[in-house]
Amino acid sequence: MARFIVRRLFTMFLTMFIVSMLVFAIVEIAPGNVARNILGAYATPEQEKSMENQLGLDRPIIIRYISWLLGSDWQVSRRLGMPVKEIVISQGVVERYHQWWAVDENGDLVQWDVEGGKLIKLVRQPDGSVVQVLDDQSWKFDEDGNAYFWGLDTANRAALWMPGQEGTEYRLEYSGWIEAADSPVDYIPMSKGLLRGDAGISLRYKRPVSEVIGRRISNSLILAALAFSVSIPIAIVLGLIAGLNEGKPVDRLISLGGLITAASPDFATGILLIMIFGMWLKILPGATVFLSETAIFKDPRMLILPVLTASLVEIGYVLRITRSSVVEVMNSAYVRTAVLKGLSQRQVVLRHVLRNALMAPITVIMLHVNWFIGGLVVVESVFGFPGLGNFILNAALYKDVYAIEAGAMVLIALAVGTQLIADIIYSLINPRIRYA
Amino acid sequence: MSTASFQEDIARPKQPPQPVAPLPEQLGAARRFFAGLWKRVRDLIEIITASPTAVVGLIMVLFWVFVAVFAPLITTYSPLEQDYKAINQPPSAAHILGTDQLGRDVWSRLAYGARTILTLGPASVLVAFLLGIALGLPSGYYGGAIDETVMRILDALMAFPTILLYMIIISAVGPSHFNVVIAIAIGGAPGIARLVRALTMDIRTREYVAAAKLRGDSDFTIMVREILPNCRGPLIVDFLMRIGYAAFYIGTLGFLGLGLPPPTPDWGGMVQQGHNHMMANVWPVLSATLAIITLVIGLNMFADGVREESMRYQ
């Protein structure tokens, strides 16, 4: 058993590793570059180039992949020759700022800036204020005698200043384009990397993705858990009823209903339910408006339609598998024997049919996790539910690359993890597959 | 279906008796081909008519095929023509299903939308099959390192919930007819590759494959001429199932705003826009929703009926 779990864990990590490469490749290598998506269609090539430089998009793809996964702080720390540190400054309840500082030999937190060709060290004081110190002796010189300096700037980037060949930095502020002089020629954005819980800054929210995404994940898990616990018992009971009454009208009715609900696209089912319950009967909120991300607990009636929609597809699917499994078991020799030796219908069903007939649905539910999660994404978008699926969809529509990447990785990790757990549970129930 | 038809294939002589009048080599091949094709079509009809589910499904699908083919004849308005004097109209003699928020005729958009979904669906499944066969056939035939590499990549692709894969592909390359087909093909290919691989691993041990090796056929010839044709039973059933999925996903992508670019008549997009204007006029969203449901259910019932009936053959 332990060997089985270890082997499955290993393949899971391998899969996730390849998945991370695929996600990164699809999102970042694909034509239509990230800088233009941020800047819009009217940016000049110089502005685009400057933006790419500032986001670190001009670095080699392998380096970018490693930085995305494992962070860039250790790379920067090596260039600077001193450790770097991330501090979080809280203002009020939700406003949080992340700042990167280097730690100099005195233990002070420092950043740098260049003004008029002079290098200025910004030293952070314990009370949060900043003292400027002229730091011109820190310039380093290459073989040709040109001065250069790698330091941290005030916008969470490692920057390379080279006096005499300043780049021009274009920044998009609320007031429009700002052209800054004395700018660094190269940048490395600071991050801790996905594996260390930092997925980069969302281009849309201007906040770390990891802070925006947490609430969304738990909302989605609640929706999934509700839908799952509603659909599976109903599906199994209906499947049993249909299977035990094979060929009778009740079986026909349940089977047809199962086929229709399983085949209908989730969004169509959702829209029909909104029309029926929200528009015509007016008994449930038709448009589920969530004003805040925690609102799902305030009005449980809002949850009814999303859960119902997500459940219906699953009910149809599991019901059909259960039914065919029950039919198969009912026609088996051991059930015939049980009937012939005089057991009551009840005893036959409870002791012989149930256990054997439920094996197939469990397998199928396990293989069905991805389909179920895909359905949840659609349901969330139909109802405007503040979950992970909706988050990824909006990120995809706005081309918020770091949010797409993080959301996709979390969703896939959840799917793969669920499958692993289901695998282990299944191998406990059915020892035969352990050695397959 | 699989085992029965394989054995039938083994039993059937490879070369039918030569006709009395000597025919040119090519003509004989053509005749043989059409005789084979006709037998297959007859088998298929037999399978379909044996299952009431398949018949009902086929009727639902054929209705939309008919609408798609004759769209210009059965509609009076262009699907793109906007009439700002008549927006959000309920059904009337002029517009049998009313008009949408831009004054476009809903029935016209529905009919031309059937064209969109019924061409993109099969096209994407076809591309998916080409990809899947190209990956699965060598993987199952050679085994070893090739198989191991291909399978790891496919495992990773299959770890993606399908909708998620489509979302990130489309957001990266942008929505267009071509990109939707490619995205759906990439999503479907791993499943097909696994099926082809499993079938290939089974078939490569057969005697006729050994015979082909003995007479010096190249690996490529063996894969394409001996193994692939003998996979066709399960592959045909899978193909039918996947057209249903493709229609499902094309509709879903359209609804999520990741489908075809706006003026294109597209059912999923119609549902999304209709949803936003539901209170003003329920007809556009209702008709597009029912259209996609009937088409997808029809395709599913058809594929299901065929699958069950062909399993009974075993």
Side-chain angles (χ1 to χ4, degrees):
Chain A
M1 190 67 206
R3 266 190 63 192
F4 170 78
I5 294 178
V6 169
R7 207 176 54 203
R8 284 290 286 113
L9 270 174
F10 174 73
T11 45
M12 185 181 111
F13 281 118
L14 189 63
T15 304
M16 284 311 292
F17 179 59
I18 302 175
V19 162
S20 74
M21 289 200 278
L22 287 173
V23 167
F24 187 79
I26 298 171
V27 177
E28 297 211 13
I29 304 180
N33 62 52
V34 179
R36 189 165 313 144
N37 292 335
I38 300 166
L39 298 175
Y42 301 109
T44 64
E46 292 82 42
Q47 290 166 342
E48 212 173 289
K49 212 160 167 341
S50 164
M51 184 57 89
E52 275 189 354
N53 190 2
Q54 290 175 53
L55 292 171
L57 296 175
D58 53 349
R59 306 170 76 208
I61 191 78
I62 303 287
I63 307 278
R64 277 168 58 198
Y65 174 72
I66 293 172
S67 305
W68 171 65
L69 214 55
L70 299 169
S72 58
D73 50 347
W74 46 278
Q75 303 171 29
V76 168
S77 171
R78 235 174 20 205
R79 286 225 170 130
L80 262 60
M82 55 180 86
V84 291
K85 193 176 162 194
E86 185 187 31
I87 58 170
V88 180
I89 297 158
S90 303
Q91 261 181 20
V93 189
V94 283
E95 290 292 303
R96 278 148 59 90
Y97 297 99
H98 292 246
Q99 290 182 350
W100 283 93
W101 297 80
V103 184
D104 70 1
E105 56 276 17
N106 307 329
D108 288 332
L109 296 177
V110 292
Q111 290 176 339
W112 288 271
D113 198 4
V114 172
E115 266 172 44
K118 303 231 179 295
L119 187 61
I120 294 163
K121 183 148 100 173
L122 310 169
V123 184
R124 187 175 195 270
Q125 304 301 311
D127 62 356
S129 64
V130 169
V131 173
Q132 301 195 352
V133 184
L134 196 64
D135 195 23
D136 259 346
Q137 71 279 9
S138 293
W139 288 108
K140 297 185 176 105
F141 296 93
D142 61 11
E143 302 94 75
D144 303 331
N146 294 324
Y148 72 96
F149 182 75
W150 268 108
L152 286 180
D153 73 356
T154 49
N156 291 344
R157 297 174 302 205
L160 172 64
W161 282 281
M162 295 179 81
Q165 38 182 306
E166 276 89 8
T168 315
E169 181 185 300
Y170 292 92
R171 259 188 318 226
L172 192 57
E173 301 279 347
Y174 287 110
S175 51
W177 283 100
I178 289 179
E179 224 183 287
D182 280 332
S183 294
V185 292
D186 199 9
Y187 297 89
I188 302 173
M190 301 298 291
S191 76
K192 276 162 67 178
L194 194 66
L195 287 180
R196 287 155 66 204
D198 176 5
I201 308 287
S202 160
L203 304 171
R204 184 167 163 233
Y205 298 96
K206 315 277 184 229
R207 281 172 60 197
V209 175
S210 44
E211 282 184 12
V212 192
I213 211 171
R215 188 83 235 167
R216 302 304 198 94
I217 297 174
S218 59
N219 282 350
S220 276
L221 288 178
I222 291 168
L223 180 62
L226 281 175
F228 200 74
S229 46
V230 167
S231 57
I232 300 301
I234 295 182
I236 288 181
V237 168
L238 286 178
L240 270 176
I241 296 175
L244 294 175
N245 295 294
E246 193 197 352
K248 292 185 195 157
V250 61
D251 171 36
R252 295 265 164 79
L253 193 71
I254 293 177
S255 296
L256 186 67
L259 191 129
I260 290 174
T261 52
S264 305
D266 314 69
F267 74 90
T269 315
I271 296 282
L272 275 184
L273 289 178
I274 291 180
M275 278 192 248
I276 295 169
F277 292 103
M279 259 184 83
W280 295 327
L281 299 180
K282 291 190 174 33
I283 48 173
L284 287 171
T288 24
V289 183
F290 294 99
L291 291 176
S292 76
E293 297 197 336
T294 50
I296 57 169
F297 305 106
K298 300 213 175 96
D299 187 359
R301 292 201 318 155
M302 278 186 185
L303 274 173
I304 296 177
L305 283 185
V307 169
L308 194 60
T309 312
S311 306
L312 271 182
V313 175
E314 195 66 10
I315 289 178
Y317 193 83
V318 177
L319 173 166
R320 297 178 66 203
I321 305 292
T322 314
R323 177 192 172 273
S324 58
S325 174
V326 170
V327 168
E328 202 186 309
V329 171
M330 285 300 282
N331 291 329
S332 67
Y334 58 83
V335 170
R336 200 167 49 226
T337 312
V339 173
L340 286 177
K341 78 180 181 197
L343 290 181
S344 68
Q345 165 90 6
R346 214 181 115 110
Q347 274 173 311
V348 173
V349 170
L350 286 181
R351 289 180 47 190
H352 295 273
V353 179
L354 258 185
R355 193 187 156 92
N356 289 297
L358 287 187
M359 214 54 117
I362 291 173
T363 323
V364 167
I365 293 166
M366 185 179 94
L367 295 172
H368 205 229
V369 168
N370 272 2
W371 180 275
F372 182 64
I373 288 179
L376 282 182
V377 173
V378 178
V379 171
E380 286 181 5
S381 105
V382 172
F383 293 95
F385 185 88
L388 184 58
N390 216 354
F391 175 80
I392 300 173
L393 175 65
N394 285 326
L397 291 172
Y398 284 84
K399 314 224 177 196
D400 187 350
V401 283
Y402 303 116
I404 301 177
E405 287 167 351
M409 291 301 292
V410 170
L411 198 62
I412 297 170
L414 285 176
V416 173
T418 319
Q419 228 143 40
L420 176 73
I421 294 170
D423 254 14
I424 293 172
I425 295 176
Y426 186 62
S427 77
L428 287 175
I429 308 177
N430 186 358
R432 267 175 299 180
I433 67 132
R434 233 176 277 166
Y435 309 101
Chain B
M1 177 182 225
S2 51
T3 3
S5 60
F6 296 150
Q7 272 152 12
E8 198 185 311
D9 277 338
I10 300 165
R12 196 192 301 149
K14 282 271 169 202
Q15 300 282 325
Q18 286 294 313
V20 184
L23 283 165
E25 172 73 12
Q26 303 249 300
L27 192 62
R31 174 178 284 190
R32 237 177 293 140
F33 176 74
F34 282 115
L37 194 70
W38 172 235
K39 188 189 174 302
R40 255 170 248 171
V41 171
R42 233 175 31 209
D43 282 356
L44 194 65
I45 293 174
E46 209 171 286
I47 288 174
I48 294 165
T49 47
S51 155
T53 323
V55 174
V56 175
L58 190 62
I59 291 171
M60 288 160 83
V61 175
L62 285 181
F63 169 75
W64 286 114
V65 172
F66 176 85
V67 169
V69 171
F70 297 105
L73 301 178
I74 53 176
T75 58
T76 35
Y77 300 88
S78 142
L80 304 179
E81 186 188 321
Q82 303 181 356
D83 181 359
Y84 289 108
K85 289 183 202 120
I87 61 164
N88 286 329
Q89 300 270 309
S92 64
H95 300 278
I96 52 171
L97 286 174
T99 59
D100 69 4
Q101 78 282 1
L102 295 173
R104 296 174 297 197
D105 184 58
V106 172
W107 168 240
S108 296
R109 286 186 71 69
L110 219 53
Y112 283 90
R115 282 190 163 186
T116 315
I117 200 165
L118 283 173
T119 47
L120 293 191
S124 53
V125 180
L126 216 56
V127 178
F129 262 79
L130 291 179
L131 277 176
I133 289 172
L135 289 170
L137 209 49
S139 187
Y141 185 75
Y142 293 111
I146 297 180
D147 183 38
E148 200 56 38
T149 319
V150 172
M151 279 305 122
R152 284 289 83 77
I153 295 173
L154 293 185
D155 274 353
L157 270 176
M158 289 181 92
F160 283 82
T162 319
I163 282 285
L164 175 71
L165 187 60
Y166 297 157
M167 277 185 344
I168 61 178
I169 292 179
I170 300 279
S171 98
V173 295
S176 74
H177 288 68
F178 181 75
N179 290 345
V180 167
V181 168
I182 293 299
I184 293 187
I186 293 176
I192 300 166
R194 285 195 152 195
L195 179 64
V196 173
R197 170 179 175 266
L199 292 168
T200 306
M201 287 168 83
D202 176 33
I203 292 171
R204 73 169 174 195
T205 57
R206 300 291 166 92
E207 277 138 10
Y208 53 81
V209 174
K213 270 186 193 153
L214 217 57
R215 66 174 181 256
D217 285 357
S218 70
D219 287 346
F220 181 78
T221 314
I222 294 175
M223 282 191 262
V224 175
R225 300 283 302 265
E226 305 291 336
I227 296 180
L228 192 55
N230 285 302
C231 298
R232 64 167 187 270
L235 287 190
I236 290 171
V237 173
D238 195 56
F239 189 88
L240 295 177
M241 302 285 289
R242 280 178 193 279
I243 291 184
Y245 296 155
F248 182 110
Y249 283 123
I250 291 172
T252 305
L253 282 177
F255 176 79
L256 295 177
L258 292 165
L260 307 171
T264 322
D266 159 39
W267 290 353
M270 285 173 73
V271 175
Q272 186 207 30
Q273 287 151 21
H275 179 202
N276 296 336
H277 298 85
M278 194 186 253
M279 292 325 244
N281 182 6
V282 76
W283 287 92
V285 57
L286 184 62
S287 28
T289 308
L290 291 180
I292 184 107
I293 289 184
T294 48
L295 176 67
V296 174
I297 289 180
L299 285 166
N300 268 282
M301 286 176 80
F302 178 58
D304 240 44
V306 170
R307 191 188 45 146
E308 264 169 29
E309 210 49 49
S310 60
M311 259 157 59
R312 210 162 290 170
Y313 265 27
Q314 283 189 348

